[in-house]
């Protein structure tokens, strides 16, 4: 993000956001860029300046740029091990380990009922594929559940922190 910061300082306003969108297309999924574009133009028109602490957009958070990923584990030992590893690798900012959930599902033609542990993982959406690959590589299940939902809104300092403490995509 160093390049982006410099641009923002030099230009300010929507122009910087617009420029960064053109310069760093690989950094954002297409959907995020499309959401950002009107905002950048609007910001240019009104002459308002984006906050310097913001990772990429005028009014702060880019909707969907953070995700909450959910992974089920057989027990707390496994969940804590995976949680620690993903935070250490900066694939996630924070993992909540939610104990004692009950899961009912069909597996190989039989209805199963298991006691499991749920992990709620907060990370940058762009890191979800790498997070998924890592979880698959260490998870004891034949088919590990890894699902992610985009975070549309929230407390900006928290969402900004998620960006700060996780890997940048170019790492
Ligand atoms: C947790 O699950 C793992 C993988 O299924 C298993 O090897 C381990 O024995 C379990 N640990 C406990 C404390 O149940």
């Amino acid at each position: 993000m160093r390049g982006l910061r410099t641009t923002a300082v030099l230009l300010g306003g929507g122009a910087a956001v617009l420029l960064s969108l053109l310069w760093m297309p690989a950094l954002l999924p297409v959907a995020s860029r499309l959401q950002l574009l009107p905002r950048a133009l609007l910001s240019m028109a009104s002459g308002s300046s984006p906050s310097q602490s913001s990772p990429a957009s005028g009014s702060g958070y880019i909707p969907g740029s953070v995700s909450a990923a959910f992974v089920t584990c057989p027990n707390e030992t496994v969940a804590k091990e995976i949680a620690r590893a993903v935070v250490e690798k900066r694939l996630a900012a924070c993992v909540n380990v939610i104990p004692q959930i009950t899961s009912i599902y069909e597996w190989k033609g039989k209805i199963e009922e298991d006691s499991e542990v749920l992990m709620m993982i907060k990370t940058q959406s762009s890191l979800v594929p790498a997070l998924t690959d890592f979880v698959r590589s260490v998870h004891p299940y034949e088919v590990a559940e890894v699902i992610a939902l985009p975070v549309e809104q929230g407390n900006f300092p928290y969402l900004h922190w998620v960006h700060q403490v996780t890997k940048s995509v170019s790492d």
Side-chain angles (χ1 to χ4, degrees):
M1 288 314 229
R2 197 171 299 133
L4 173 58
R5 282 269 160 75
T6 312
T7 310
V9 169
L10 291 175
L11 295 174
V17 180
L18 195 64
L19 225 113
S20 67
L21 289 177
L22 301 173
W23 278 12
M24 309 180 83
L27 222 78
L28 294 169
V30 173
S32 304
R33 271 182 280 149
L34 290 179
Q35 282 170 335
L36 248 179
L37 196 57
R39 192 179 310 183
L41 294 170
L42 211 88
S43 169
M44 279 175 89
S46 68
S48 69
S49 180
S51 138
Q52 291 298 309
S53 64
S54 139
S57 93
S59 61
Y61 180 64
I62 304 167
S65 64
V66 165
S67 285
F70 298 88
V71 174
T72 46
C73 286
N75 56 50
E76 220 159 298
T77 311
V78 170
K80 282 183 184 173
E81 248 173 48
I82 296 176
R84 217 163 247 288
V86 297
V87 171
E88 271 169 15
K89 290 175 179 296
R90 300 170 74 89
L91 288 171
C94 168
V95 181
N96 306 119
V97 176
I98 304 161
Q100 286 182 329
I101 60 162
T102 301
S103 301
I104 295 162
Y105 54 97
E106 190 187 303
W107 184 244
K108 295 182 175 165
K110 200 167 149 249
I111 304 288
E112 304 278 355
E113 178 170 332
D114 281 336
S115 163
E116 293 186 300
V117 170
L118 179 65
M119 290 198 286
M120 184 166 79
I121 304 170
K122 272 61 61 75
T123 192
Q124 284 188 62
S125 299
S126 55
L127 288 172
V128 170
L131 174 75
T132 305
D133 285 349
F134 176 75
V135 169
R136 283 171 52 122
S137 74
V138 295
H139 202 284
Y141 292 169
E142 193 180 322
V143 179
E145 174 184 334
V146 184
I147 55 174
L149 298 172
V151 173
E152 292 301 326
Q153 325 176 45
N155 182 22
F156 176 67
Y158 179 81
L159 297 167
H160 184 45
W161 170 79
V162 171
H163 279 276
Q164 280 184 313
V165 298
T166 49
K167 276 189 187 194
S168 77
V169 196
S170 52
D171 280 357

